[in-house]
Amino acid sequence: MNTASAALLFLAHCLLLLMGSEAGGVFDHGRHRVSLSRVDEARAPSRCGGGAPAQPGAGTLPPKPLLVAAPHETGEYPVLVFLHGYLVVNSFYSQLFQHIASHGYIIVAPQLYTISGPDTTEEINAAAAVIGWLPSGLSSALPPGVRAAVTKVSVSGHSRGGKVAFALALGHAKLALPLAALVAVDPVDGMGVGKQTPPPILTGRSRSLRVSAPAMVIGSGLGELPRGPLLPPCAPRGVGHAAFYGELDRAAAPGACHLVAADYGHTDMMDDDTPGARGMLTRVICRSGGARAPVRRFVGGAAVAFLDKWVRGDGAAMDGIRARPEQAPVALSVVEFLDEEAVAPTE
């Protein structure tokens, strides 16, 4: 080997180390202190003295109650709207929100409903209304000196919320802002193939989902498995993460990525403490991989890396995950990018 070749190999090794370091950084808490606040929804007065939800844009209050996580330091930050899973509370993701916000993002998490049936149409419209409220109303919910960059918005969601996020990206509701990126966390479209909830998003046809924004799909390896013989899986095969990624139209999306946490379950990215009966159900119904912190760090870090690449134009962390997936805080069974076939990482 000549001197020039040795020097190139050394530089390539250094670059891999640097990319790995960047990837490791997104999996740790970022440099920003985080403010976490609740915002009440706007309510129109009624003759009975109570109130009904106001029309979008009424005053400065949002059309749905919000949990907002934002950096505490003065500056302008991109916005990510996060949509909760079925029948859970937006605060169950507060530790995940704080991780993402610590890397310089504002997370707006509406409570789309308290009780809901199978149809997600109202959730889709409510999420679109929240996005429409952002340019005029979000500033009033932020710490002093913190500004939201709302020329575009990114959308994320977990479980049924991941389906709703896909629905928004597919144009099921008119959005006031263009989408910068889509991050679906273990998305689910119903109880199984042929048992989808309306409106169905998955079609059963490869590359049929024409999403024009960059799309990341994060999956759980245990989500397809039932907790016990009497319980259905929380993320059934055929209507979960693999189906969503498999149906993405690769020609339409500027970029796409599919990562799967092998040994973790459908709700394992939620907070360590999810109180109340609903919180208990997040641990009882879905199969779990144990401690939630590692997969929460993975989901938060992967989302930050993807947003950094497609919102901020900094692909170092995403490239690091691609080059060295073993640096993630959990084992990954699938690491797949738009221009590659699925890869099972070596241990």
Side-chain angles (χ1 to χ4, degrees):
M1 180 183 297
N2 58 37
T3 302
S5 297
L8 286 173
L9 283 175
F10 176 75
L11 287 173
H13 176 70
C14 290
L15 180 60
L16 283 175
L17 288 176
L18 175 61
M19 289 190 297
S21 173
E22 292 284 353
V26 296
F27 296 126
D28 297 326
H29 198 274
R31 64 183 180 87
H32 293 282
R33 293 179 297 148
V34 175
S35 169
L36 193 65
S37 61
R38 295 182 180 276
V39 184
D40 290 333
E41 67 181 313
R43 301 189 73 82
S46 72
R47 292 181 180 178
C48 298
Q55 294 301 311
T60 59
L61 293 177
K64 290 290 180 179
L66 305 178
L67 184 64
V68 178
H72 194 72
E73 291 81 10
T74 297
E76 184 175 82
Y77 304 97
V79 177
L80 173 69
V81 172
F82 186 96
L83 310 173
H84 60 82
Y86 186 52
L87 295 182
V88 302
V89 182
N90 54 7
S91 61
F92 287 179
Y93 306 91
S94 62
Q95 290 176 288
L96 176 64
F97 298 161
Q98 290 178 75
H99 183 116
I100 298 172
S102 75
H103 288 271
Y105 291 91
I106 296 168
I107 295 82
V108 176
Q111 186 66 44
L112 295 174
Y113 55 83
T114 303
I115 300 295
S116 179
D119 196 316
T120 58
T121 301
E122 289 189 11
E123 295 154 58
I124 295 167
N125 292 333
V130 169
I131 291 173
W133 169 85
L134 295 175
S136 62
L138 181 56
S139 60
S140 63
L142 299 176
V146 173
R147 304 181 307 280
V150 287
T151 55
K152 291 185 178 181
V153 64
S154 298
V155 177
S156 181
H158 169 234
S159 191
R160 174 157 150 159
K163 166 186 173 158
V164 174
F166 256 93
L168 293 175
L170 290 166
H172 283 247
K174 185 176 181 180
L175 298 181
L177 297 171
L179 283 187
L182 165 67
V183 179
V185 181
D186 223 15
V188 178
D189 189 4
M191 297 298 294
V193 177
K195 300 177 182 178
Q196 291 167 256
T197 53
I201 299 302
L202 295 170
T203 67
R205 302 189 306 274
S206 177
R207 305 189 179 188
S208 58
L209 303 181
R210 296 187 59 83
V211 174
S212 59
M216 166 179 270
V217 179
I218 297 173
S220 65
L222 301 183
E224 297 178 345
L225 304 178
R227 178 73 185 235
L230 301 179
L231 294 172
C234 288
R237 186 183 300 271
V239 291
H241 62 89
F244 276 92
Y245 188 78
E247 292 191 18
L248 273 175
D249 184 343
R250 315 301 173 85
C257 175
H258 183 205
L259 305 175
V260 179
D263 303 317
Y264 287 88
H266 184 62
T267 60
D268 283 346
M269 78 296 300
M270 291 184 181
D271 288 0
D272 292 329
D273 179 22
T274 49
R278 295 181 191 228
M280 179 187 68
L281 289 175
T282 69
R283 293 188 176 276
V284 172
I285 291 180
C286 300
R287 190 159 178 173
S288 172
R292 288 177 165 182
V295 75
R296 193 167 55 238
R297 289 177 56 215
F298 159 65
V299 172
V304 168
F306 194 74
L307 294 172
D308 279 355
K309 178 178 177 66
W310 293 104
V311 177
R312 289 191 163 129
D314 180 0
M318 199 73 248
D319 291 342
I321 294 172
R322 184 172 185 164
R324 301 186 66 188
E326 69 276 7
Q327 292 212 0
V330 300
L332 303 181
S333 56
V334 173
V335 177
E336 187 176 10
F337 285 80
L338 182 69
D339 56 349
E340 294 180 345
E341 297 301 321
V343 176
T346 57
E347 296 294 333

